[in-house]
Amino acid sequence: MRQKTTGEQNSAGRDDAPADTPLVLVEKVRGAMRIAATCRQAASLGLSAGLALADARAQVPVLSVTDHDPAADLAWLERLADLCDRFTPLVAIDAPDALALDITGCAHLFGGEARLLAEVSRFLARWSDDVRLACGDTPEAAQALARFVPAGVSFESEDATLRRLPVAALRIEEETQTALIRAGLKTIGDLAMRPSAPLAARFGADLVDSLDRLLGSADSRITPRRAAPALRFERRFAEPIARTEAAMAAIGELAEEAAVELEQRGMGGRRFIARFFRSDGRTYDLATESSLPMRDPDVLMRLLNERLAALADPVDPGFGFDMIRLAVPRIEPLTPAQLQLEGGTIAQEAMAELVDRLSTRLGRGAIRRFQPHDSHVPEQAALTLPAVDLPAPAAWDAPQQGEPPSRPIHLFDPPQPIEVIAEVPDGPPHRFRWRRSQHHVVRFEGPERIAAQWWKHAPGKSPGLTRDYYRVEDARGRRFWIFRHGLYETERPDPRWYVHGLFA
Amino acid sequence: MSTAFSHDEKAHKQDAVRVTEPFAELVAASNYSFLRGASHPADLVARALELGLAGIGIADRNTVAGVVRAHIALRDAHKAAAEIGVPPPALRLVVGARLVFADGTPDIIAYPATRHGWGRLTRLLTLGNLRANKGDCTLHLADLLEHLDDLLLIVMAAPTDAPVLHTLHAAAPNRVWIGATMPRQGADRRRLARMMRLAEATGVPLLATNDVLYAAPEQRPLHDVLTCIGAGCTIANAGRRLEANAERHIKPPAEMARLFADFPQAIAQTTALLARIAFTLDDLRYQYPLEPVPEGWEAQAWLEHMVTEAARDRYGRELPAKVRKMLDDEFALIAKQKYACYFLTVHDLVRFARTRDPPILCQGRGSAANSIVCFLLGVTSVDPVTHDLLFSRFVSEERAEPPDIDVDFEHERREEVIQYIYQRYGRHRAGIAATVIHYRPRSAVREVGKVLGFSEDVTARLTSTIWGSFSSSMAEQRYAEAGFDPDNPDIVRLRDLVDQILHFPRHLSQHVGGFVLTEDRLDETVPIHNAAMEDRTFIEWDKDDIDALGLMKVDVLALGMLTCIRKAFALMRQHDLGEHDLTVDLEADDPAVYDMLCRGDSIGVFQVESRAQMNMLPRLRPRTLYDLTVQVAIVRPGPIEGDMVHPYLRRRSGIDPVEYPSPAPPHDPDELKTLLGQTYGVPLFQEQAMKLAIVAADFTPGEANHLRRAMATFRNVGTMHNFREKLVKGMTARGYTAEFAERCFKQIEGFGSYGFPESHALSFARLVYVSSWIKCHQPAVFACALLNSQPMGFYAPAQIVRDVREHQVEVRPIDINASGWDNALERDGHGRLALRLGYRQMDSFRNAWAEALVAARAEIGRFTSVEMLARRADLPSAALRLLADADAFGSLGLSRRQALWEVRRTPSGELPLFAAARAREPLVSELGDEPDMQLPIMPASEEVVTDYQTLRLSLKDHPMTFLRAGLREDGVLSCEDTNNSKAGKTVRTAGIVLVRQRPGKGNAIFVTIEDETGITNIVLWARLFERYRRAVMASRLMQVEGVLQRSREGVVHLMANRVVDRSDLLATLTATRGDGAITPPLARGDEVARPVPSRHPRDARVLPKSRDFH
């Protein structure tokens, strides 16, 4: 059995700082920022994991610092593990920074172990410039060799090399390590050449077991990770099919297969890709997204057909398609919807379906939905976002019971300037001219004073103008939302007025 | 597009002509409503004065912590008006609290109308405080209903709050108002109309307020930032958590009248409420606890009797005229100010401490040493008669401030004294003063930066350039140092906001030991809180507040050196070296003691052990107690920054003539001679600087007092510069040179941060002498006591042990058959004392294990095997391993390695079932034979490294010994050879880094390194530091090349040219036989190298600043 481990330095992957600044990743440990990982340059300057950031800065004042993100490291390791599928199906993650590949029976496919190692090294070099590789008889041996034998050092015999490694290669607790070193047993060899009973009596049977696994005298295997591959459904044709409709019909069959599979898993798809493989090697993709997880084949086909119809560049079958694939790359849990008693599903789904169809036809940005946004500034209190992106419509502030609406149903963007006669300094408007006609204010309420967002203005300059909003009603019963822009005298000598919106 | 704007002729311009109704803003929150109010209490008062308000009411969230500040501000305004002869301002200040409830009751602002009402309010708040966790206050409406007496209430009710209004109106008829606001929220007038209906329905009048959060509208950004800090969000996504506008400032009466034009009665109610309040903080007529005195005696008479008796004991039945006069003066003032009980209290505390068994050592510090009464009561130890100290520096009539007696107790036993106070006066009569924790540059930059969206790293970088946490301003340069463009708009905004938020109170904490005592209930004077420490309660006013209100405070402080001295005396008693107390041999002025100090041999000695002090000793050459007083006071930022040190030294050694700057005629040319006579014409002490201002710059005592206060509160307010012009002008006007005047000011400014009064320095000098005396005559005792009092002082155990060995004292290793928890003394064959290290020197070893071990050893005499120790002392295996690691099995003939191997298989403890049976039988080992493991012998270098890892010191050797051969080949000299080299020679040396310091302005960096032969002091200029920064800051083993300098007094420095980090050599001491992939370092070597003395905050302020810097 041959297995292989790759060691990875994770910091190199996320270096967005200038090339010449040493980079460290930091994390908060009991209130203090401490280094979690360093780049090679920082390491060469003597910075190492565990050092307080303040101490590090005292030594190296110019330092590029990023938050340590173990989840991202693990995700990256997962991605590498995915890619390593090409060498062997048995890949394990050895967190936080290593992969273990069981290459038993795989090496010959690549022309032997050495060739395979070279190939892996060449392949991983694309992802990181600091990869250490080693082959070993057991996973423990491989990881020890990868971690403790300096890169580029070739060794005659695996066993002899292992015996020269420090006891830390056993990956044992620090306390045990220290105790062994204090006893003068500093290398694997020191341990291996001594009787094991006294060792077990003092450090537990685990130590002896670890030693045996490392040296190959006990069996050990990796536990390969289970990938969660996206769903794929394919159909190959002996005879290329030349008509798009026929191809779509085949997709329809695949969609039903997908629906069955998804239902069994209790999942639904958020994204579907139909791929047409032309016999001359060209491929076409039809992709669709949905705002809620779904698996209904009819709905899916309707969406794909919409997409097909909306294509500027139609799918050209040429000499025909010899393979068709439906992939569902993004799946999410979908519990069966409760049907309403009187029949029909809940309106939300109908709405979502409509949004999906329109977004598919008109483009994802074309259908937008208002979303409340926490801001005092009226025009910023609502945002419009692509409807397909929204997880769920957010709740709006409920209007106060018995109170008139404080915001109009229509907002002008931008507000429209008006000419106003009003009381100073902050009295209500008496009459105003808008779109060339005079309006006499007969009722008003206000002002509602909304100050500018000072943090969006350069310091030292004016922090922006305050607005005084009035709800007013003119003699003909029309209701406006108008505001004075700037406080009289303190902010502007002659504040301007605008109509910002209309009430019903 | 143009818009027209015109004044509407028909609009009634009511406010322009009409005389405005007087208005009082009665709902104002200061920044003691933490993270809500955005103005200092004093600023609110100032703004109210400026706007001509009839009154202002300060009411913070469930606290009265800020009201004294407002009270002082108004009092100062009255004083200022009196000084320039204008009528006092009409503004009235009323103080209370905004009660915020946990049960959904709307906020209620409560103002006591009388002294009795104040007591109800503070009782109510105390109830809420003690019920909640620290920093919180949990109140229910029912609590208020129980404490309603004489409280006037403003309910910040919503239109729907009729029920609570009915309840309160019924319980407190005619004492309830509804607070109505016009916050500019659109529907204000409609809301006001509803409130009017509510008022009608409930019979509770409306009162106009603006529910103020800050003084002026410009403070809105600051308030927004505080809101964000409180909510933990950034300004960009704070949304509607911020106020919509800047309206919640204090508004002028005319503006308020305009806002409440629909209901002017609401304005009138503000003055109506104001008129009902008679209470001011001046009514807190403080009753100090009446101390018990014998039947038939008055406190004052009893005090005089006791003191006079003590005086007769000391000075003879017939008191010298001088003493008689001093006593009469002090008695008169004490009687006038009614301070007798206060002195009796302090006397009682000291008596309590001294009558414990064993007694707790204590000694007064600070200006109390100016008082002969304190001296004769045994509170202080300096005789003011012999030292010509003036009582008026301690208490004076014009200062109208209560005396402040600070007493130091042994740091390990201070808690006994504290609990005695609680027990004697009860928690309702005794409380620790608060310390207001303010925003400092570091915390301000961090928190404001977070709000403005700076990453934590950027703010860390900005704060990391602020040296120490006491820097009082964020100088522009700091930003540049951190690599930021100071003109960048984001940085400008950050700086602007940081400047505003600096010195804002953040939360309350307990003072280190200042007790406030009252005769009546303390909680009817000020609310009481639970402290974070168990068994502690504190009040919510700090030292300044207490002073301003004339409350008296007793400072019960902790001093590590007193612990050390007490332990030393106990050891001397135990080893038949005589009975001693703090007056040990003081009169003798023992030359041997001073000889030792003049050599700079002062490791461990109180106050003069820092490197700066050690360098000063050979130059100052102290020969008397007064010289020590000068020594203590001179190595301080005050004299150093005032450039007084060198003139003093030169005059003292006779190089420069002693002369006194003289004013021009007609002033007395010798006016400074009397003042500065004892210090060769150079002002060194705080009082001298003060007196200088009075005599030479014509300050009135009142102004000098202001100056003193400015110096004392330097951290709160940057008011010192106000005095600069006055001082320099005053002095030059009298004919002094401008240069001398400048120096004096600089020094006074320096005193602001760290200066000693003479009396304080005298008290400390005595401890310097006592500790030196012990060190000089009984070095073993001193080292042992010092080690047993750790953590304290400047040095790590390794340096203390090294020092005592250099004084020819044998130090013996920890051993299971000899050591106890504490370090101890043993007699060697020649009857000399040897120091036996104790288990307390071991990391992670526990006192209980040590006790079990010693008890078992006492029973059986001697352990003969590891197994026996484990069984009889019932030690867990962790303890056995630590003992083996510390090489404590030497008396069994086991090497560290053998012992470690043995304990690992020894089962810990013993089953209780067998214990009794076996106790009578000889021990039979149950452990079988094993194959020989043939463990290699531990090399000496590894032994030493392991010693450092487990004990932080080694008696076997110095790590550098093992590197010496290689270093010699590289041409690196030992420290001893370096120190003996010729001045001016360029040498190369290397050693373990003991301490790195960057004092004062940071022009030079001081590093001390150590090897097996001694220490070398290195000086590195800041310019070079930048070049070798990494090596300087990261080295544990530092190699330095530089030029040797030797002062006339023989003090040697190496002026570094080049610094190399050789820490990698340490790894070679333990290198494995493998390929070197692991390098177990001196795990705690860095801590050995960098002693971080954990000090009492109070001590840290008084001791010289020493720190490893960043």
Side-chain angles (χ1 to χ4, degrees), chain A residues 56-64, chain B residues 461 1026 1029-1030:
Chain A
R57 281 213 189 279
Q59 297 171 19
V60 185
V62 183
L63 201 57
S64 170
Chain B
R461 205 146 22 121
E1026 281 315 318
R1029 173 185 273 272
R1030 215 198 64 70

Side-chain angles (χ1 to χ4, degrees), chain B residues 339-355:
Chain B
Y339 289 152
C341 283
Y342 177 74
F343 282 84
L344 289 175
T345 304
V346 180
H347 173 248
D348 179 60
L349 293 186
V350 170
R351 185 202 52 80
F352 166 78
R354 299 222 167 103
T355 51

Side-chain angles (χ1 to χ4, degrees), chain B residues 564-601:
Chain B
C564 173
I565 291 174
R566 194 251 305 155
K567 290 187 175 181
F569 288 163
L571 283 167
M572 289 167 80
R573 194 175 307 123
Q574 186 189 336
H575 292 277
D576 300 326
L577 297 170
E579 279 289 334
H580 298 277
D581 62 21
L582 281 179
T583 59
V584 49
D585 198 28
L586 257 180
E587 308 300 324
D589 267 348
D590 188 343
V593 173
Y594 290 109
D595 287 347
M596 176 188 86
L597 289 176
C598 289
R599 287 194 301 271
D601 180 3

Side-chain angles (χ1 to χ4, degrees), chain B residues 202-489:
Chain B
T202 55
V204 177
L206 277 193
L207 177 140
T209 169
N210 204 33
D211 203 355
V212 164
L213 293 173
Y214 37 85
E218 296 74 42
Q219 279 142 11
R220 170 175 167 249
L222 182 60
H223 180 256
D224 287 349
V225 167
L226 292 170
T227 306
C228 289
I229 293 174
C233 63
T234 65
I235 191 80
N237 56 29
R240 284 170 295 173
R241 278 175 280 198
L242 306 179
E243 293 285 323
N245 53 41
E247 294 301 297
R248 292 180 71 174
H249 55 273
I250 303 179
K251 293 188 173 173
E255 170 80 2
M256 292 304 285
R258 211 162 55 85
L259 283 171
F260 284 87
D262 290 349
F263 196 72
Q265 298 95 307
I267 302 278
Q269 284 296 335
T270 63
T271 43
L273 191 156
L274 200 63
R276 302 252 310 260
I277 297 178
F279 174 75
T280 83
L281 287 174
D282 289 328
D283 298 344
L284 291 183
R285 250 185 308 274
Y286 172 61
Q287 178 60 61
Y288 189 81
L290 298 170
E291 289 291 329
V293 290
E295 191 97 16
W297 289 89
E298 288 290 319
Q300 176 74 23
W302 176 241
L303 178 74
E304 290 188 16
H305 170 75
M306 274 205 303
V307 170
T308 312
E309 284 306 304
R312 292 206 171 109
D313 285 352
R314 185 177 170 85
Y315 304 108
R317 292 311 295 177
E318 210 48 53
L319 293 181
K322 189 175 173 191
V323 174
R324 191 68 260 169
K325 174 158 181 2
M326 284 174 90
L327 283 176
D328 288 346
D329 287 351
E330 288 195 26
F331 286 151
L333 196 60
I334 290 170
K336 182 149 187 257
Q337 306 278 8
K338 302 194 174 62
Y339 289 152
C341 283
Y342 177 74
F343 282 84
L344 289 175
T345 304
V346 180
H347 173 248
D348 179 60
L349 293 186
V350 170
R351 185 202 52 80
F352 166 78
R354 299 222 167 103
T355 51
R356 291 296 87 192
D357 185 30
I360 304 172
L361 289 189
C362 56
Q363 179 182 296
R365 66 154 75 174
S367 56
N370 288 309
S371 154
I372 192 169
V373 172
C374 281
F375 174 67
L376 291 172
L377 287 175
V379 174
T380 56
S381 46
V382 180
D383 186 346
V385 179
T386 46
H387 290 287
D388 262 337
L389 298 172
L390 288 185
F391 183 61
S392 63
R393 284 171 204 155
F394 173 49
V395 189
S396 75
E397 225 166 319
E398 61 264 32
R399 229 161 64 203
E401 264 172 27
D404 184 1
I405 303 182
D406 301 350
V407 186
D408 287 316
F409 295 87
E410 290 173 35
H411 75 318
E412 286 181 2
R413 300 182 62 196
R414 181 177 69 135
E415 193 61 27
E416 294 175 34
V417 181
I418 289 179
Q419 293 307 328
Y420 169 72
I421 294 176
Y422 276 133
Q423 179 209 324
R424 184 156 171 237
Y425 297 94
R427 268 161 209 278
H428 59 289
R429 289 173 60 208
I432 299 180
T435 297
V436 180
I437 308 296
H438 291 94
Y439 274 97
R440 300 236 182 282
R442 258 172 214 275
S443 50
V445 169
R446 192 171 55 236
E447 299 204 3
V448 176
K450 208 196 276 176
V451 168
L452 293 183
F454 287 86
S455 77
E456 190 153 347
D457 173 53
V458 171
T459 53
R461 205 146 22 121
L462 278 167
T463 53
S464 69
T465 56
I466 303 167
W467 297 57
S469 57
F470 283 108
S471 338
S472 53
S473 74
M474 278 292 292
E476 198 161 296
Q477 191 196 346
R478 306 262 191 237
Y479 292 93
E481 270 171 22
F484 295 100
D485 172 9
D487 295 328
N488 172 304

Side-chain angles (χ1 to χ4, degrees), chain B residues 796-861:
Chain B
Q799 276 99 56
I800 298 169
V801 166
R802 181 194 176 115
D803 182 62
V804 70
R805 293 176 99 190
E806 280 172 3
H807 287 80
Q808 279 72 50
V809 173
E810 186 194 347
V811 180
R812 296 174 172 179
I814 294 181
D815 195 287
I816 53 159
N817 278 319
S819 295
W821 170 254
D822 277 328
N823 300 284
L825 296 174
E826 299 172 354
R827 295 273 180 193
D828 68 5
H830 309 282
R832 281 183 309 224
L833 286 175
L835 175 61
R836 170 70 72 178
L837 295 183
Y839 303 119
R840 67 182 297 146
Q841 298 308 129
M842 291 165 62
D843 275 347
S844 343
F845 205 73
R846 295 187 194 157
N847 198 348
W849 296 341
E851 278 169 15
L853 189 154
V854 172
R857 192 172 66 204
E859 199 178 311
I860 59 173

Side-chain angles (χ1 to χ4, degrees), chain B residues 815-817 862-866 869 888-894:
Chain B
D815 195 287
I816 53 159
N817 278 319
R862 192 181 151 78
F863 300 114
T864 51
S865 73
V866 176
L869 167 67
F889 289 93
S891 57
L892 299 186
L894 290 176

